[in-house]
């Protein structure tokens, strides 16, 4: 059969009823462990001579079905699902930079990621350098020194909805033998597939639009299967013998998949943020409507953005659908399925009026998630990004009056009327 198209894969990929008593909906394998058939079977599983399940912290069929489906949607070669987006990000970057080194990172990223950059990675001897050179490949080229282990970016950024030129960034990074890691949470593979643009590793918070119902926490790490970038000189961790592997190294055991294999062996296994089979099941159900949800969210966000741009209560608006969008040319070229559900804007008023506005919103939920079926609104500088320093706010181009919206699946006109009445209640109209 020919390669299936995206919308067929999101229903079918990675799961076969034939392997599961013909059940059309994937069973939830609610088990902590799996019996060994014999001592030989146990030894084979432990030394990776034979594939199979052993213990749910490091592998579970339901979790695997979920991971395999996203792998198919992203066109990836290898995948592992983990317990959260933060686990996916931290396991990935530790796996690349363990033992020291620098990660060059986009300043236009999720607040929790910046928090990890400031507080977690230095504890492991990993230095993170936020750089706006990410917008300028020539400048970036000059910043990739010998101790750089990865470039880290978000494809569509949180909360600004900036869109980066992954093709150009990857070209420069590869010249130096350095992989590009893309957090594709806001875009989802429906809007953008980083591996098709030269990226090497993709991470997700599957908590957000990927699964889309605000009912689980999950993350994924995917890669393109090209292990040639991970040289012995720059990444010796993949070539070090491990006693448990009978003295072999991750690269010896899985020459085409040692990046994710080591992430499982060391970080998922020992730091332990495993995804539960229940949550993986909910994730699979969520994926079945990925295109329909993200398409409608993009349309609703575009309608709301246009309304906001025309409102005298609003100072500025950022969304890929707008003619005023900072990366319009890139958006027109790459975001052909829509601009995504996330937009941001600044109100034309005092901080007290902003608070009045938020306290009068009725339909939007006021909380920190995004990508949900429900529309969400949040004052990012005071909440999701409150851990940023003054310098980081400036570098990230997050004005103090920024309000982030994640458009849901309601009728856009009801959402717009809700914003209008809240502007009026705050004396902005
Ligand atoms: C939410 C989010 C994360 C963190 O994911 P969790 O599942 O909450 O751990 C990472 N990156 C982006 C862009 C996010 O929006």
């Amino acid at each position: 059969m020919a390669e299936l198209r995206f919308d067929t894969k999101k229903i079918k990929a990675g799961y076969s009823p034939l392997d599961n008593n013909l059940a059309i909906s994937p069973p939830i394998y609610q088990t902590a462990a799996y019996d060994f058939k014999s001592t030989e079977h146990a030894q084979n599983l432990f030394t990776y001579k034979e594939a199979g399940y052993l213990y749910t912290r490091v592998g579970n069929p339901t979790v695997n079905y979920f991971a395999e489906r996203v792998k198919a949607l992203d066109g990836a070669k290898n995948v592992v699902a983990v317990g959260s987006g933060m686990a996916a990000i931290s396991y990935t970057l530790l796996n690349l930079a363990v033992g020291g080194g620098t990660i060059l990172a986009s300043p236009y990223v999720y607040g929790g990621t910046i928090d990890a950059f400031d507080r977690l990675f230095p504890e492991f001897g990993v230095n993170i350098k936020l750089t706006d050179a990410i917008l300028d490949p020539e400048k970036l080229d000059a910043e990739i020194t010998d101790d750089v282990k990865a470039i880290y970016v978000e494809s569509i950024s949180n909360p600004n909805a900036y869109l980066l030129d992954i093709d150009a960034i990857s070209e420069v990074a590869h010249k130096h033998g350095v992989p590009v890691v893309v957090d594709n949470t806001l875009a989802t593979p429906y809007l953008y597939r980083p591996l098709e643009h030269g990226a090497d590793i993709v991470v997700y918070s599957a908590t957000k639009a990927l699964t889309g119902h605000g009912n689980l926490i999950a993350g994924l790490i995917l890669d393109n299967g090209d292990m040639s970038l991970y040289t012995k000189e720059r990444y010796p961790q993949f070539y070090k013998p491990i006693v448990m592997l009978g003295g072999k190294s991750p690269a010896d055991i899985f020459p085409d998949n040692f990046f994710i294999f080591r992430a499982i062996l060391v970080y998922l296994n020992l730091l332990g943020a495993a995804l539960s089979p229940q949550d993986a099941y909910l994730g699979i159900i969520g994926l079945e409507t990925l295109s329909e949800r993200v398409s409608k969210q993009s349309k609703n966000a575009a309608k709301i953005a246009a309304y906001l741009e025309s409102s005298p209560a609003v100072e500025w608006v950022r969304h890929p659908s707008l003619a005023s969008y900072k990366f319009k040319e890139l958006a027109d070229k790459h975001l052909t399925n829509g601009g995504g559900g996330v937009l941001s804007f600044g109100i034309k008023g005092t901080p007290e009026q902003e608070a009045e506005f938020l306290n009068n919103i009725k339909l939007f939920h006021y909380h920190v998630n995004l990508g949900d079926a429900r529309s969400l609104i949040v004052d990012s500088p005071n909440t999701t990004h409150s851990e940023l320093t003054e310098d980081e706010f400036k570098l990230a181009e997050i004005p103090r009056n920024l309000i982030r919206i994640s458009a849901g699946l309601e009728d856009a006109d009801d959402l717009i009327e809700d914003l209008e009445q809240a502007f009026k209640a705050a004396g902005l109209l």
Side-chain angles (χ1 to χ4, degrees):
M1 212 164 146
E3 163 90 8
L4 295 174
R5 293 169 179 81
F6 191 88
D7 280 354
T8 311
K9 287 196 255 188
K10 85 192 198 317
I11 306 287
K12 301 239 176 219
Y15 174 75
S16 165
L18 281 173
D19 304 333
N20 288 279
N21 293 310
L22 303 178
I24 51 146
S25 179
I28 302 169
Y29 281 84
Q30 196 67 39
T31 183
Y34 310 80
D35 274 341
F36 301 126
K37 293 183 224 165
S38 63
T39 51
E40 189 192 358
H41 183 219
Q43 282 313 303
N44 285 346
L45 288 180
F46 265 91
T47 50
Y48 296 89
K49 281 197 188 115
E50 193 179 324
Y53 296 103
L54 206 154
Y55 192 60
T56 280
R57 190 173 69 237
V58 285
N60 174 284
T62 314
V63 172
N64 197 40
Y65 298 146
F66 172 60
E68 287 294 318
R69 189 156 298 177
V70 179
K71 184 178 102 175
L73 295 177
D74 262 282
K77 284 287 187 323
N78 305 303
V79 66
V80 62
V82 294
S84 70
M86 285 318 298
I89 294 166
S90 49
Y91 292 2
T92 295
L93 295 183
L94 287 175
N95 202 22
L96 288 169
V98 66
T102 298
I103 308 278
L104 280 182
S106 163
Y108 318 111
V109 295
Y110 174 63
T113 305
I114 299 219
D115 204 15
F117 288 174
D118 287 345
R119 296 197 293 127
L120 175 73
F121 290 102
E123 286 193 3
F124 288 85
V126 178
N127 171 37
I128 314 267
K129 187 176 171 205
L130 296 181
T131 175
D132 56 7
I134 213 76
L135 296 178
D136 180 344
E138 240 168 74
K139 268 207 233 155
L140 186 65
D141 193 22
E143 289 199 14
I144 305 177
T145 46
D146 282 347
D147 70 326
V148 170
K149 301 289 175 71
I151 312 285
Y152 182 86
V153 303
E154 288 180 10
S155 45
I156 301 180
S157 76
N158 180 351
N160 274 328
Y162 280 5
L163 176 67
L164 296 188
D165 189 345
I166 311 285
D167 299 88
I169 292 167
S170 301
E171 199 180 316
V172 170
H174 293 162
K175 244 174 55 188
H176 294 269
V178 168
V180 175
V181 181
V182 178
D183 179 338
N184 200 42
T185 299
L186 265 66
T188 81
Y190 174 69
L191 296 180
Y192 189 82
R193 290 181 289 281
L195 300 178
E196 293 175 5
H197 294 275
D200 304 280
I201 298 162
V202 174
V203 291
Y204 283 105
S205 167
T207 312
K208 314 289 171 58
L210 193 65
T211 63
H213 293 80
N215 56 1
L216 61 92
I217 302 282
L220 292 138
I221 309 171
L222 305 110
D223 74 37
N224 61 3
D226 178 6
M227 301 291 112
S228 66
L229 273 183
Y230 311 110
T231 59
K232 220 174 204 162
E233 293 67 43
R234 206 187 284 252
Y235 305 96
Q237 62 268 34
F238 299 115
Y239 302 89
K240 275 198 192 125
I242 295 179
V243 175
M244 192 186 130
L245 300 179
K248 291 188 173 161
S249 72
D252 291 332
I253 303 263
F254 289 114
D256 302 321
N257 184 22
F258 58 77
F259 174 77
I260 283 181
F261 175 56
R262 187 177 184 281
I264 296 170
L265 198 67
V266 181
Y267 305 105
L268 183 58
N269 188 22
L270 303 179
L271 293 174
L275 178 59
S276 89
Q278 288 270 355
D279 286 350
Y281 174 76
L282 291 174
I284 293 168
I285 303 306
L287 286 174
E288 291 182 351
T289 53
L290 175 65
S291 311
E292 289 78 7
R293 284 185 289 101
V294 175
S295 165
K296 168 114 196 235
Q297 285 172 333
S298 298
K299 284 187 191 126
N300 276 357
K303 259 190 166 175
I304 293 168
Y307 155 75
L308 288 170
E309 207 167 52
S310 73
S311 171
V314 171
E315 192 178 285
W316 55 268
V317 189
R318 292 171 183 159
H319 187 258
S321 63
L322 297 170
S324 59
Y325 182 60
K326 181 165 171 157
F327 308 94
K328 187 69 190 150
E329 210 175 297
L330 268 183
D332 286 346
K333 193 161 138 207
H334 296 311
L335 298 182
T336 48
N337 278 345
V342 172
L343 65 122
S344 61
F345 68 100
I347 62 162
K348 215 182 272 169
T350 63
E352 291 72 28
Q353 282 176 308
E354 181 184 314
E356 248 334 83
F357 165 75
L358 287 171
N359 288 329
N360 275 285
I361 284 284
K362 294 189 169 58
L363 277 183
F364 288 82
H365 289 252
Y366 177 41
H367 70 214
V368 298
N369 199 9
L370 55 82
D372 197 319
R374 285 149 284 268
S375 287
L376 315 165
I377 194 163
V378 76
D379 46 340
S380 295
N382 305 321
T383 55
T384 57
H385 286 68
S386 58
E387 53 276 77
L388 270 62
T389 63
E390 265 325 304
D391 286 346
E392 285 168 347
F393 270 119
K394 244 188 234 136
L395 193 61
E397 299 178 17
I398 298 178
R400 280 295 179 171
N401 69 348
L402 183 144
I403 294 176
R404 185 189 77 192
I405 281 178
S406 169
L409 305 178
E410 305 90 337
D411 190 308
D413 291 335
D414 287 334
L415 297 169
I416 288 169
E417 279 171 23
D418 190 30
L419 294 168
E420 181 87 0
Q421 66 77 25
F423 283 140
K424 283 184 181 146
L428 292 159
L429 290 178

